[in-house]
Amino acid sequence: MKKTIFAAACLAVGLVSCNPSADRLAVWKDYDVGAIEFEDKAVGTRGSEIYHEIIADPEDYIAEQARTVLSTLYDSPEDSIATVKKLRYTLEDTDGISAKGGGNGHVNIFYSTRHVEKSFGGGGDVDKVLFETRGVLLHELTHAYQLEPQGIGTYGTNRVFWAFIEGMADAVRVANGGFGPDARPKGGNYMDGYRTAGYFFVWLRDNKDPDFLRKFNRSTLEVIPWSFDGAVKRILGEEYDIDSLWREYQIAVGDIEA
């Protein structure tokens, strides 16, 4: 992947930084990201062929992106980090894009070779495929290593829990240049999760606290029962509230008028 593609994506959405510094990544170079097991279950498909053309060593590539995710979510390997003992990554000839499953330190992620083919398109743009593949991987790996809210139910039972989980996964993708220049959704609400929340969280990092994403992740250990408002008050101060910050963000990016 050409570094200029990442740089252009960052500039287009006005982010302060899209990639972890070399010093920050160096902190994680010896961290055990878990045993990575790659399996191509779609051998013979065009998507499989394209994937192997752009990624020569999937295990090393996944480990590299895992360390990028860890450096975005945590200060150092000494933090309380979600344990990943084994990460099984499969290519599959199926609909959809990608998803993470598993539990208790054993993570499964599949990536659709049909999506690879779609990204490749008729023009045969391998840079576009690698850009998309990296972005999707950053999102799913965030689910593997991120911390989860406590005291409010589960991903499937509580929308606040869900919005935090999916918003943080896309925030990590945004923060590391994983989306193109037109990916930010307009309007909506942080409770919509995914990119809508993700761009907001990165804006908070860029405009309120440079360590916001790491502190936001850690807030799940400190604010119980967890809430968006409780988390921002702990990180930024009691004078802040999540809805006022969302309005400030919407004005700043031009989605609404003051």
Side-chain angles (χ1 to χ4, degrees), residues 190 200 203-204 207-208 212 228-229 231-233 236-237 239-252:
Y190 57 88
F200 174 46
W203 181 86
L204 290 170
N207 293 275
K208 301 299 180 181
F212 182 83
F228 282 109
D229 208 47
V232 299
K233 287 182 186 307
L236 302 176
E239 67 272 27
Y240 290 92
D241 69 84
I242 189 68
D243 291 316
S244 295
L245 287 166
W246 173 258
R247 176 174 170 76
E248 182 181 347
Y249 161 70
Q250 288 284 279
I251 293 171

Side-chain angles (χ1 to χ4, degrees), residues 107-180:
V107 175
N108 305 308
I109 297 173
F110 87 82
Y111 189 40
S112 169
T113 53
R114 297 180 192 178
H115 184 66
V116 172
E117 292 177 30
K118 182 178 179 180
S119 299
F120 190 66
D125 190 340
V126 293
D127 281 341
K128 181 180 177 182
V129 177
L130 185 55
F131 185 83
E132 173 68 4
T133 295
R134 177 179 180 267
V136 171
L137 182 57
L138 288 170
H139 178 106
E140 300 302 347
L141 286 173
T142 299
H143 288 328
Y145 297 103
Q146 71 187 141
L147 299 174
E148 298 183 347
Q150 300 181 67
I152 60 170
T154 66
Y155 180 94
T157 65
N158 186 281
R159 188 167 180 82
V160 170
F161 190 117
W162 171 88
F164 172 83
I165 292 294
E166 295 298 350
M168 278 297 284
D170 268 359
V172 170
R173 182 173 177 178
V174 172
N176 291 288
F179 283 113

